[in-house]
Amino acid sequence: MGWTDDIAELANLSPDSTRRLQALSPVTIPSGTVLFRPGDAVQGYVIVLSGRIGVYLVGASGREILLYDVTPGSSCIQSTLGLLGGEDYSAEAIVEAEAQIVLLPRATFLDLIDTDPEFRKLVFSAFAQRMQSTMHILERVAFQPVDARLAHFLLARADAGQVRATQQDIASAIGSAREVVSRRLDAMQKRGWLSHERGRVMILKPDALRLATEN
């Protein structure tokens, strides 16, 4: 028994590949840890067992936009591109919810890509899914109004009707400014759709938010 037994996507790997993966030990990374920054060399392929890692594009002004989250079952485009193409990271990754991860060293990752068709299929399938979801995020930022992006974020991140995130976190996630998010939250609160306080948004009328995502 090992950590690979808990991941259905790894069930079809060869016995040798499974053995090599199980030889790697999971590590726990505290919330708030920066895993990499622009210019850092890619050290390996990250498999997330639990938790959430946010990958951000950081502008020269310091403004951030969330490119994607890495959660169990998803992959990091930045790591895959770096390992296959030799490029350094161009974004920043921050652990947003304590994460348990396994890091496949570059040599191990590239060898498994070459020798195990199932591993190669798994990596490229996850890469394709991540690329598609990232394109959807960029499409929303480019073409959707702020209210629609905000409503979509709140519905997607809600847990039992609550979203625990600062206004700056929300602004980074939807590609806006904190001041704009503050005004939009105040407007939605006046309409009775939600209530908000420091670090928390309580959704009162999810149907109204769903309608807002269609605008």
Side-chain angles (χ1 to χ4, degrees):
M1 294 290 290
W3 62 266
T4 60
D5 296 316
D6 297 325
I7 303 178
E9 292 84 356
L10 301 180
N12 295 324
L13 298 186
S14 70
D16 181 63
S17 296
T18 300
R19 177 187 57 78
R20 295 177 67 181
L21 291 179
Q22 287 185 343
L24 302 171
S25 299
V27 295
T28 299
I29 312 295
S31 177
T33 302
V34 177
L35 291 183
F36 58 76
R37 292 185 172 90
D40 289 351
V42 179
Q43 301 299 316
Y45 186 79
V46 174
I47 296 177
V48 176
L49 305 181
S50 64
R52 186 177 77 254
I53 300 168
V55 179
Y56 294 84
L57 189 64
V58 183
S61 65
R63 180 177 168 183
E64 299 177 338
I65 181 172
L66 178 67
L67 292 177
Y68 53 86
D69 285 325
V70 186
T71 53
S74 64
S75 67
C76 176
I77 290 176
Q78 287 271 310
S79 296
T80 306
L81 287 175
L83 290 169
L84 296 177
E87 299 294 328
D88 293 338
Y89 286 115
S90 59
E92 180 176 85
I94 302 173
V95 178
E96 297 187 331
E98 183 179 83
Q100 187 177 48
I101 69 171
V102 175
L103 180 67
L104 278 63
R106 179 189 293 268
T108 301
F109 172 83
L110 293 177
D111 189 53
L112 289 176
I113 285 283
D114 287 339
T115 60
D116 191 328
E118 287 297 328
F119 182 79
R120 183 165 59 248
K121 177 181 177 182
L122 172 66
V123 168
F124 283 109
S125 175
F127 180 80
Q129 292 174 17
R130 173 58 71 201
M131 280 294 294
Q132 185 176 44
S133 64
T134 301
M135 290 300 294
H136 289 161
I137 291 173
L138 295 177
E139 181 182 20
R140 286 197 296 270
V141 170
F143 302 116
Q144 280 191 333
V146 172
D147 280 357
R149 303 200 309 265
L150 175 57
H152 183 277
F153 172 85
L154 294 175
L155 290 170
R157 191 61 68 86
D159 181 11
Q162 297 188 31
V163 177
R164 294 191 175 275
T166 67
Q167 292 182 4
Q168 184 56 59
D169 291 337
I170 297 172
S172 297
I174 68 172
S176 186
R178 187 196 63 77
E179 295 80 7
V180 174
V181 168
S182 179
R183 291 196 297 270
R184 294 297 194 273
L185 287 174
D186 286 344
M188 290 180 176
Q189 182 167 265
K190 289 179 181 178
R191 295 173 191 152
W193 296 1
L194 54 79
S195 63
H196 69 95
E197 58 189 37
R198 186 177 181 86
R200 186 170 64 150
V201 178
M202 289 71 72
I203 296 175
L204 304 177
K205 294 184 177 180
D207 288 343
L209 290 177
R210 292 190 187 96
L211 286 174
T213 65
E214 299 173 1
N215 296 329

